[in-house]
Amino acid sequence: HQDDVNASLARLKEGRAYFATEMNALGFAAIETPCNFVHVDFADKRPAVEAALKGVASYRVFPAPPLENFLRFTTTTIEQFRRVVEVIRNATL
C-alpha cells in the first residue's frame, strides 16, 4: 500500500504548509517544521484564539521556554485546517 501511504503523507505535508502560510498571512509567527506539527505564536491574541478554538481544535501548550508563547497544532489536511483558520481569523480580526 505504498502508494496510499505516499498520498496520505503528501496530503499532510500540504496541510502543514497551508496552515503555516495562513497563520503567517494573518500576522502570526508560525514555525513550520519537517515534523507533524506547526508552532504558532499568537502574541496578545492568544486568549481570544484559545477561547475560540474550544470544541473546534486541540493544540498543545508549552509552559516553559523557549516555546511558552506558542501553541502547537498537529498536522492534518487542508480541509481540516480550513475550519481552524476560519475560527482563528474570526477571533482575531
Side-chain angles (χ1 to χ4, degrees):
H1 303 282
Q2 191 63 45
D3 290 342
D4 293 333
V5 170
N6 289 338
S8 180
L9 288 171
R11 282 191 302 275
L12 293 174
K13 287 178 183 179
E14 290 171 353
R16 184 181 64 219
Y18 164 80
F19 186 65
T21 298
E22 290 295 314
M23 293 299 97
N24 286 320
L26 290 173
F28 303 117
I31 302 171
E32 180 188 355
T33 71
C35 302
N36 69 334
F37 51 82
V38 177
H39 287 109
V40 183
D41 182 353
F42 293 104
D44 62 336
K45 304 282 186 178
R46 181 172 167 176
V49 168
E50 289 193 79
L53 288 176
K54 286 188 185 209
V56 175
S58 297
Y59 50 84
R60 185 169 177 194
V61 175
F62 293 89
L67 296 173
E68 74 272 17
N69 295 323
F70 290 83
L71 299 181
R72 178 171 137 177
F73 295 83
T74 300
T75 300
T76 189
T77 63
I78 290 174
E79 293 75 26
Q80 293 287 324
F81 267 137
R82 279 192 180 122
R83 174 74 176 127
V84 177
V85 170
E86 176 186 329
V87 168
I88 292 169
R89 182 180 294 115
N90 290 337
T92 59
L93 293 180

